[in-house]
Every structure is written in C-alpha cells, then in structure tokens.
Amino acid sequence: RFNPPCGGLKVVYAGGAVVRSDLEIFDGSKSVGTIASGTIIPPNEVIERRLNSCGVVRYLIDHGSIGRGWISSRIRGGKEEPIVEMLPFCAEGDDSSSGQLQFITPEDSARVWYTTYAQVIKSSNAVSERNAFSESLDIESIEEFGELLASGTIGELSVLSSDSLVAATYGRIADVLPHSSEGGCSFVDCALVLCASQPRGQKLVKGISSTVDPIVHEVASESLVHVIDKLPSTKALMVRISMLRALNRRAGFSLPWLPLRSAQEGSAILGGLSGFGTSLERAGRTWDSKSKSLWVQTPSISSRLRKCREIIFTSTKRSFLDSVMDATTTPTPLSHDEYELPREVRTVRVNRLKARRAMASGDSSMMKKHSVFSQLQREMRGWSGATLRRGFVAKGHGGQKRAFKVKLVGEGVNDYSGPYREVFTDAMHEVTDLDTSGCSSLGVLQPSANNQADVGEGRDLFVYAVPPNDPSVFTPDKNKDLLSIEERDLLNSFSSLTHKKNENSREVEEALSYLGKLVGTACRHGIPVDLPLPLGVVWKRLTEERIGVADIMKEIDVLAFKSAQDEEYCSTSLPSDRVLATQRRLLNSFAEGMSSVLPVELLSMFTGDQLRDIVCGNPDIDVELLRKVVEYEGYDEHDKVITFFWEVLREMTTSERKLFLQFVWARNRLPLKESDFDAPFKIQKDIKIVNKDEDYPLPSASTCFFSLTLPDYPEKEVLKQKLLFAIENVTTMESDYVTNDVEISEGWRGL
C-alpha cells in the first residue's frame, strides 16, 4: 500500500470535492457525498493514493460522517482545475502520522517492497541451506563417531599437537562469535567457519557462510593457514571439537581439585630444594632437555596436566584463575558512605609534575628518585602482598577494582579510577624509557641486543637491566673451568642461587621485585600493561614451558647466536652464556614480586603466549573492536563527524593510537575481546559555542568513565589536527576541583 508523505489534503475547488465509491469513474460508481471547499482532511484520514486508468490521481480517504471513498486531485478535461492540494509534510513526532513508511512516488514504494521481499526470500533460502548443512553433520551411530574421531587429526601432526591446534582455533573462533545457550559458540556456526576455510568446502557453504561475521573467517584462516591443505573433513574436525568441549566442561569442575604442583616434584631427592616447596624449574629457570636427563621427574597428575595444557581452552583456564584470584582477594569492609573508599584502602601520593621534569632532566639520580615508579615504590615500601590483593570496587568508579587510592599532587583530580590506571601506565612507560645515550633511565629494563641493533626478531623487546659499572656481579665464577662436568651442571641448574651480591645487584633485584608486584596488581585488577618482555626469557619461563636455547637467543640477540654457531659452539654450552644466566637470576626477583599478588602456581596451566596476552592485553589498538563497544550521546553512528573520527583513528600509527587510548582511558592497551571490557566507550557531543573566527575547541576526555567529548567538527582535517594536538600535548588530567596554593606549589616545586 502506498501512503503519501503529506500533512493532509485541503479542498480548494469552489464546488467542493465529490467522494465516489470506486477508483474508476464510470456510470456504476456511486457518489458517497461532497466535502466542502476549504475543508482540511488530516493525514491519518488519507489512506492511499493511486493513478486510475484515465491518468487522474485519486485519493482514498476515510472522512468523518461521509465515510470511505475516492476523491480526485483535479478535474479531468477543460482547464483541469485542482480539486485538492497536498499540505506540507507533518513534523516529526506529530501524533497525526500513521506510523507507516512514507514515499514520494509509487515507484519508490514498489522498490522498497521488492527489496524487502528479496531479503525475506534470501533469508528463507539461507535458513533452508543452514538446516541442510546442520543435518549433514548428524552422526548415525557410535561406530561412525569413532571412525570420525580417529580420522580427525591434522596431517602428520601427533594427536596432542593436532588437538592443541584445533583447540586454539576453536578458542579464537569462540572469542569472536556470540555465545549460545549450549555454552561457547554455536556448533553450526563453528562448523560453517571451518568448512569455509577449506578450499573444497567453500562451494558447499558459499550461500550461508556470509551470515557469519567476516572477521571470524579471517581468524580461522590465519590460525590454520600452515595446515590448510592437510585438514580432515569438517565433520571429523567437529567430532574432535565436540570431544574437546566435553573435556573442558569437565575440566572446569575438576581443576580446583587437581594439584598443579604435586608435593613430590619439590622433593630434594627428585630435583627440588630443601626437601620441599620449590621445584627445579622455579629454582634456576633453566629447565631444558639436558636438565631433563639430569633430574628425575616422576609422573604425576600435575605433570600430565602441564603436558596437555594446550588442549584446555584459554577461557576454561582463565575462568579458574579468576575464581582463585577472587578467593584470595583480601576482604575490605564497606564504608558508611557507599561513594567513599574505606580507610583500609590506603592513599598513595604521586607528584607526576615533578616526575616529568625529572625524566626530562637527563640526570640519572633525579630520574631514579622522582619518577612515578620510584615514588610508588617508596610509598608502598613495607606493604604486604595482602594489601595489594584487595579488589575493592566503589560505587561510581566505573567498576574498576583497586588496591589503593591515588592522590595526584597539584592536578586537582578526584580518583574515580582514572588516576589509578594512570599511575600503572606511567610507571610502565618509565621503566622502558631510555636516556639520550640509549640506556635505561631507571636501570630496571634495558633494550635487548636486537632492539639496540635493530636486527632480527623482537626489535621492540626489553630485558632485565644489568647493574651499571659492575658487570662482574652477574658473571659466572672465574674458576668454573676447574669444575667437573657434574659440578658445572649443578652450577648451571642452580645458577640463580650461587651468584655473588652487592648493593648494586640488591637495588636492581628490589626494583624488579616491585615491578613484579605492580604487574601482578594490574593483572588482578584488569589493567593490561605495556611491558614488552621476551617470550622465551620471561613468559615461557614463568609458565615452565620447555624452550630451546637457540630460540631464546634468536629472540634477544641474534648476532650472538650466529657468532656462537660460527665458532661451532654446541647448543649445550649456550645456557651458561652470561646474558642468559643474568636474565635467569633476575627473573626470579620479578617472579617473587608477582607471587605476592598472583597465584603463580597456576601459571603453568597457560602457555607463554597466553600468559603474555593476559598480562599485557592486545599490543595493537584494534579500531573495529573499539567500535563494537562504543555508545553515542548527542551523536548518531551515521553523523559526518563520527565518520571522520573513525577514519582518523584508523589512519593513526600504533604509537598515536596508544596516546589516544591513554588520553581517554588512562591505559595504552585494549583487552583481547569484547567481553573483557568493563565499560563501554562513550562519545559525547560537545555543546561549547564555536568562536567567531571558527576556532573549534579541543576534544576532552574523562579517563575515569572511558568517554570522549567531541565537538562537531565540519571537516576531517580539522578533527585530525585538534585530536592529535590534544593527545600529544595534554599531560595532566582535567581538574575536578580548584586546588589550594599549598598543593599547587608542592606540585610545581623545583627539583
């Protein structure tokens, strides 16, 4: 039915408008009545507009006492004087509107009808094809299930390696697809994605694979690209996935009852220390193939669990880790005022203004004394792990868990979670900051050899810093050549406990221990940190994965690795290298700090990559992920300025996106997936009046509530210029109150 978009009809012919019973005017049509000249027919009484066989526009109306009938728009023949005229279209929100779609011409109405009809038919066909595809996955008997299960391994991979790859792929797919009532992602959607990723299956699901988010297809293809030609049938893969899902459902219930570090693994006879408590892996961090042959490792549930860690979904392990962290959270009583923090949550004073001047001074002693990292370390000296294990959430703080309150001296900012996140971000930035000579500013982390030389892999990585002016502290014993082979093996395995210490080494170890506490606290409270540490030296050591020394050396010092190969050093001599020995010893201090806040015994469930992702989040600022969690206030998704904003954000470099994220959220890493966001990203319209010379105001942000206040910029270049200027030059938070003279003078006081 075609409804004209008008504000009604007005009868303008002096003789009035004759209402007839039929669309066509012929002898058999009856005259229903006449509407007087000047009468206005409201739009809710105008039902339809049509063109009759004589080319006259006729309106079907239902008017008052006359009832329903047709009137002409003009007189046929003669001067064709108008009978009625269309009034202007009624305003939005007018109750007189019929609520139906309005069209200017019948062709527009027909075009929309056909488009809707085609979509319905296509959707109906897609549903039929989807049902047929779902039926093709049905299994008739247990024998068929067993055959498919046996044939579901990938190519020449072992069963464990194949299942590990399938589990990882399924986990990535489930992170993107919406969750179903059966737990995890939809079984049919997962099968569609896997079938579409195989060349032979693309034709089978060509019509229905488009119903799934295209990003899912990219994720699956990226995960399986190196075995794409060796994949078994989709049905066999789904059988393996069904078994993995069943295993993980049971693992979710059984993990709290299973030992991840059995008592016998800490036995002195079987390779532990002092008869109990610490295993070889944690003592020296040197577990490799040679250590395996030297030390007896008895079979146990925990060792089998670590061996099969990759077939347990990350979501299952993460859920268990979260539950243990919740159980070990220090209880905090509520305050009388629900908007205030209780007195058990201590206040930490941080002078960021002084810290920035110190970091820009180039004076090493000033940087180590006044940096945010050093201020936090001094303020928290003597704090127990229980204090940092608090997870208090105050009302109006955006759901942010916290262990302490932050007072930013001289900035006039209330800590509604923004300053709390900001100090973690600032501290991590400072420990990776370099002075003018390319050395570590704080002496905590230093660039890896690959980073310094800009060669090989991991050119952005940092390693633990060696104390300056005393490199011999962490060098092997000069009399090592006098030791027997067995004594060298013992020294290598327990190198973290056999080195000499002095004041310099003690200072570095204390700083790394505190860094571990900060990282553990940030992880516990859902704050990803930008900490580019090597996978082999740190993350895989913490998860107790076995990794070859060659892979470690390639990641941090490819030139030293090639030099060792050229000199025909055997791989067994590489663990005694000074660089690796130093990193092993310093890792223990970092792990000790983490252990006071996080249950490090559970980290062996994860792989090194998974642990790095949990602690550090996503290193790339995914614009599409950010767009999925956005909410608009005062704007619409299709507004021109919103389109400009997303285009500018996509064009930014990674470093600029990190600055933007810190500007709006006081952190520079995004969570890995949409469900990990505690709050939506809000874009609010700025209602400030533009100056006469059209000098638009800068955008502003509220880091506590993850919101950006964006003026209505007329052009993309104006938005880009203003936004980049704001994120690159705004170094303090927007003040919540006017500070007193004493606090201002303290904040800006000279060094």
Side-chain angles (χ1 to χ4, degrees):
R1 177 175 292 177
F2 171 59
N3 297 312
C6 66
L9 301 174
K10 181 180 180 179
V11 180
V12 295
Y13 187 62
V18 179
V19 183
R20 293 184 175 272
S21 59
D22 297 288
L23 173 66
E24 303 293 341
I25 303 174
F26 59 97
D27 294 338
S29 63
K30 298 179 181 180
S31 176
V32 179
T34 302
I35 301 176
S37 177
T39 303
I40 294 178
I41 305 172
N44 60 325
E45 294 183 0
V46 182
I47 301 173
E48 191 173 355
R49 183 176 75 172
R50 285 193 185 180
L51 203 65
N52 67 7
S53 59
C54 297
V56 178
V57 175
R58 302 269 285 169
Y59 294 95
L60 177 62
I61 64 171
D62 190 352
H63 181 68
S65 59
I66 294 179
R68 178 170 294 201
W70 295 85
I71 59 174
S72 298
S73 63
R74 59 183 172 82
I75 294 176
R76 182 169 175 266
K79 296 182 179 180
E80 296 192 348
E81 299 174 79
I83 298 175
V84 295
E85 66 178 14
M86 187 181 296
L87 297 177
F89 182 60
C90 57
E92 291 185 11
D94 194 334
D95 294 337
S96 62
S97 177
S98 64
Q100 297 182 353
L101 291 176
Q102 306 286 323
F103 303 97
I104 298 298
T105 64
E107 288 79 5
D108 292 338
S109 174
R111 190 177 295 110
V112 170
W113 175 88
Y114 178 77
T115 302
T116 305
Y117 172 78
Q119 290 175 348
V120 170
I121 294 298
K122 183 178 180 181
S123 175
S124 177
N125 293 338
V127 170
S128 300
E129 292 179 19
R130 181 184 175 89
N131 291 336
F133 179 75
S134 178
E135 291 175 1
S136 69
L137 298 176
D138 291 344
I139 297 176
E140 301 296 334
S141 63
I142 189 65
E143 289 77 14
E144 182 185 359
F145 184 88
E147 292 174 359
L148 290 170
L149 186 65
S151 63
T153 55
I154 299 175
E156 300 176 355
L157 298 178
S158 65
V159 175
L160 181 58
S161 300
S162 174
D163 285 344
S164 298
L165 179 58
V166 172
T169 304
Y170 174 78
R172 296 189 183 103
I173 292 174
D175 286 344
V176 182
L177 286 176
H179 281 217
S180 65
S181 57
E182 61 197 28
C185 64
S186 167
F187 195 80
V188 177
D189 284 344
C190 182
L192 277 173
V193 173
L194 290 175
C195 188
S197 64
Q198 304 179 53
R200 61 176 179 274
Q202 291 176 355
K203 295 181 180 180
L204 299 176
V205 294
K206 184 178 181 181
I208 51 177
S209 61
S210 58
T211 59
V212 181
D213 190 342
I215 298 178
V216 188
H217 295 288
E218 295 179 12
V219 168
S221 299
E222 182 181 349
S223 180
L224 299 172
V225 63
H226 59 288
V227 293
I228 199 69
D229 297 328
K230 303 176 182 178
L231 292 176
S233 66
T234 303
K235 197 170 183 179
L237 276 176
M238 294 311 298
V239 168
R240 302 297 300 190
I241 288 177
S242 67
M243 293 298 290
L244 289 170
R245 284 171 42 143
L247 169 68
N248 278 268
R249 279 195 297 270
R250 288 156 178 79
F253 292 105
S254 60
L255 279 175
W257 303 95
L258 296 177
L260 294 173
R261 176 61 58 193
S262 55
Q264 65 265 31
E265 290 186 12
S267 168
I269 299 176
L270 299 174
L273 295 179
S274 305
F276 62 94
T278 305
S279 67
L280 172 64
E281 291 93 326
R282 293 179 189 172
R285 310 280 175 192
T286 57
W287 189 252
D288 52 28
S289 57
K290 186 173 183 181
S291 298
K292 181 181 177 182
S293 63
L294 294 174
W295 300 96
V296 178
Q297 291 291 298
T298 56
S300 63
I301 294 176
S302 54
S303 63
R304 294 191 187 101
L305 196 60
R306 291 196 299 274
K307 184 179 180 181
C308 301
R309 72 184 102 195
E310 293 187 55
I311 64 174
I312 301 178
F313 299 151
T314 306
S315 57
T316 303
K317 295 182 284 192
R318 184 64 189 270
S319 177
F320 176 50
L321 177 63
D322 290 341
S323 66
V324 174
M325 287 196 294
D326 290 341
T328 55
T329 298
T330 303
T332 306
L334 295 175
S335 175
H336 295 295
D337 186 348
E338 60 184 356
Y339 289 94
E340 294 294 330
L341 295 172
R343 62 182 182 181
E344 285 79 8
V345 178
R346 304 183 190 180
T347 299
V348 174
R349 292 171 58 85
V350 177
N351 192 334
R352 296 199 305 160
L353 305 176
K354 183 179 289 186
R356 286 198 173 94
R357 292 200 302 277
M359 296 301 292
S361 68
D363 188 331
S364 177
S365 61
M366 287 296 178
M367 289 190 283
K368 292 181 179 180
K369 181 178 179 181
H370 297 295
S371 65
V372 172
F373 180 84
S374 301
Q375 291 181 54
L376 289 173
Q377 187 177 4
R378 284 196 303 272
E379 288 275 334
M380 298 182 189
R381 191 179 299 277
W383 284 24
S384 65
T387 305
L388 294 175
R389 287 199 300 271
R390 294 190 186 278
F392 187 77
V393 180
K395 191 170 184 178
H397 288 210
Q400 176 64 62
K401 296 179 181 179
R402 66 169 67 243
F404 52 88
K405 179 181 178 180
V406 174
K407 169 69 173 176
L408 297 179
V409 178
E411 296 189 42
V413 179
N414 288 321
D415 184 8
Y416 291 117
S417 72
Y420 183 73
R421 290 191 293 266
E422 187 81 24
V423 294
F424 285 98
T425 304
D426 287 346
M428 297 304 150
H429 175 73
E430 288 174 348
V431 297
T432 56
D433 185 67
L434 304 179
D435 59 20
T436 54
S437 62
C439 299
S440 173
S441 297
L442 301 185
V444 180
L445 299 179
Q446 66 184 24
S448 67
N450 286 354
N451 188 340
Q452 292 176 334
D454 196 23
V455 296
E457 304 172 3
R459 301 186 186 187
D460 59 340
L461 296 179
F462 284 74
V463 295
Y464 301 125
V466 178
N469 305 322
D470 195 2
S472 62
V473 174
F474 292 121
T475 55
D477 194 332
K478 296 179 181 179
N479 298 321
K480 189 174 180 180
D481 294 337
L482 303 178
L483 301 177
S484 65
I485 296 177
E486 291 78 5
E487 289 170 334
R488 290 183 186 181
D489 291 335
L490 280 170
L491 180 62
N492 180 52
S493 296
F494 296 98
S495 58
S496 62
L497 304 175
T498 58
H499 69 283
K500 297 179 292 184
K501 291 186 179 181
N502 64 7
E503 194 58 36
N504 285 338
S505 66
R506 198 169 289 110
E507 182 181 341
V508 172
E509 289 176 355
E510 287 180 359
L512 286 173
S513 178
Y514 180 70
L515 178 62
K517 290 181 180 179
L518 273 186
V519 170
T521 305
C523 179
R524 180 177 275 271
H525 296 158
I527 305 174
V529 294
D530 190 2
L531 198 65
L533 294 173
L535 185 64
V537 171
V538 178
W539 305 115
K540 289 198 174 186
R541 293 297 189 187
L542 289 173
T543 57
E544 301 174 18
E545 280 189 87
R546 294 171 183 170
I547 179 172
V549 174
D551 294 330
I552 297 176
M553 292 300 295
K554 286 179 184 177
E555 187 180 23
I556 63 173
D557 195 347
V558 67
L559 296 179
F561 169 73
K562 290 182 177 179
S563 175
Q565 283 188 324
D566 293 341
E567 295 176 16
E568 298 182 353
Y569 286 149
C570 61
S571 60
T572 56
S573 67
L574 287 176
S576 62
D577 181 87
R578 181 175 61 86
V579 175
L580 291 184
T582 301
Q583 296 304 309
R584 285 197 300 268
R585 295 159 187 164
L586 295 176
L587 175 59
N588 275 359
S589 299
F590 179 76
E592 182 182 355
M594 288 187 69
S595 65
S596 63
V597 186
L598 291 178
V600 293
E601 292 81 4
L602 306 185
L603 300 185
S604 59
M605 290 190 306
F606 299 92
T607 64
D609 300 84
Q610 292 168 352
L611 178 60
R612 181 185 58 188
D613 291 343
I614 291 172
V615 173
C616 299
N618 192 347
D620 298 321
I621 309 299
D622 189 346
V623 177
E624 295 306 319
L625 179 61
L626 197 59
R627 195 167 184 173
K628 288 182 180 179
V629 298
V630 72
E631 291 181 358
Y632 302 103
E633 293 183 8
Y635 284 123
D636 184 77
E637 183 181 1
H638 304 290
D639 287 342
K640 188 180 294 185
V641 66
I642 297 299
T643 304
F644 292 159
F645 169 75
W646 292 116
E647 289 177 359
V648 168
L649 202 58
R650 289 191 190 94
E651 293 170 3
M652 286 183 179
T653 62
T654 301
S655 59
E656 288 172 339
R657 290 181 189 176
K658 287 183 177 181
L659 287 175
F660 168 77
L661 194 60
Q662 185 168 357
F663 177 72
V664 297
W665 207 10
R667 55 200 276 182
N668 52 19
R669 291 282 182 114
L670 281 178
L672 291 172
K673 52 186 178 180
E674 185 179 350
S675 60
D676 290 339
F677 282 81
D678 295 327
F681 172 42
K682 293 183 180 179
I683 300 180
Q684 301 170 328
K685 188 172 185 177
D686 193 342
I687 58 176
K688 293 187 183 76
I689 299 175
V690 182
N691 298 333
K692 293 181 180 180
D693 56 354
E694 295 189 356
D695 184 16
Y696 286 84
L698 292 172
S700 58
S702 175
T703 57
C704 296
F705 306 106
F706 195 15
S707 65
L708 173 69
T709 302
L710 190 68
D712 191 3
Y713 297 114
E715 298 177 359
K716 176 180 174 181
E717 289 303 317
V718 177
L719 187 151
K720 183 175 182 178
Q721 177 188 358
K722 296 289 185 179
L723 185 59
L724 287 176
F725 183 86
I727 65 177
E728 291 174 354
N729 294 278
V730 176
T731 57
T732 59
M733 292 186 170
E734 188 173 357
S735 298
D736 297 317
Y737 59 88
V738 179
T739 55
N740 56 51
D741 294 339
V742 176
E743 185 175 327
I744 291 176
S745 63
E746 182 183 356
W748 293 95
R749 186 180 302 158
L751 297 177

